[in-house]
Amino acid sequence: MGDIMLGKMFKSLFGSSGEGQKTASKSTTVVYDGFQIIAEPQLSNNQWQVAGRIEKQIGDTLKTHTFIRADTLPDEQGATNEMIRKAKMMIDQLGDGIFD
């Protein structure tokens, strides 16, 4: 019995208990200045991590920039909103340079 409890403790410490990172149940897409922002927060240790993609069709190629931030928030909607805010800032600052 002690080995089972010890194993559970290590699993919870190192995130291998099957409850590692889970993506949001649904993604939110926003179109901004010709870019698509796809918010996909990830559940990690009971917090929602800011994550998602920025995409843009350039000629025949769909360019994608994926990012996961260290920022975590207690709720999925908050992480979605923060991802969209950060993505808009990146678009404003870098434009198509996001894909370089």
Side-chain angles (χ1 to χ4, degrees), residues 23-50:
T23 341
S25 53
K26 60 182 179 183
S27 62
T28 301
T29 301
V30 172
V31 176
Y32 179 76
D33 200 23
F35 294 80
Q36 283 194 326
I37 300 169
I38 302 102
E40 299 171 315
Q42 296 180 354
L43 186 59
S44 179
N45 297 321
N46 295 320
Q47 292 282 313
W48 287 95
Q49 192 166 15
V50 175

Side-chain angles (χ1 to χ4, degrees), residues 46-50 71-76 78-80 82-83:
N46 295 320
Q47 292 282 313
W48 287 95
Q49 192 166 15
V50 175
D71 309 19
T72 58
L73 294 151
D75 64 289
E76 183 178 356
T80 295
E82 184 65 6
M83 186 279 175

Side-chain angles (χ1 to χ4, degrees), residues 5-68:
M5 290 179 67
L6 188 60
K8 286 183 180 180
M9 181 184 76
F10 279 115
K11 284 181 183 181
S12 67
L13 284 173
F14 297 108
S16 60
S17 65
E19 291 189 28
Q21 291 189 336
K22 295 179 185 175
T23 341
S25 53
K26 60 182 179 183
S27 62
T28 301
T29 301
V30 172
V31 176
Y32 179 76
D33 200 23
F35 294 80
Q36 283 194 326
I37 300 169
I38 302 102
E40 299 171 315
Q42 296 180 354
L43 186 59
S44 179
N45 297 321
N46 295 320
Q47 292 282 313
W48 287 95
Q49 192 166 15
V50 175
R53 301 185 316 264
I54 300 171
E55 297 182 342
K56 184 176 183 181
Q57 188 74 36
I58 300 176
D60 292 336
T61 306
L62 178 64
K63 299 283 190 170
T64 302
H65 174 77
T66 303
F67 63 92
I68 300 173

Side-chain angles (χ1 to χ4, degrees), residues 83-99:
M83 186 279 175
I84 292 168
R85 186 187 74 77
K86 286 182 178 257
K88 286 180 177 179
M89 255 183 8
M90 286 179 67
I91 291 166
D92 290 342
Q93 293 172 353
L94 301 172
D96 290 345
I98 290 172
F99 306 116

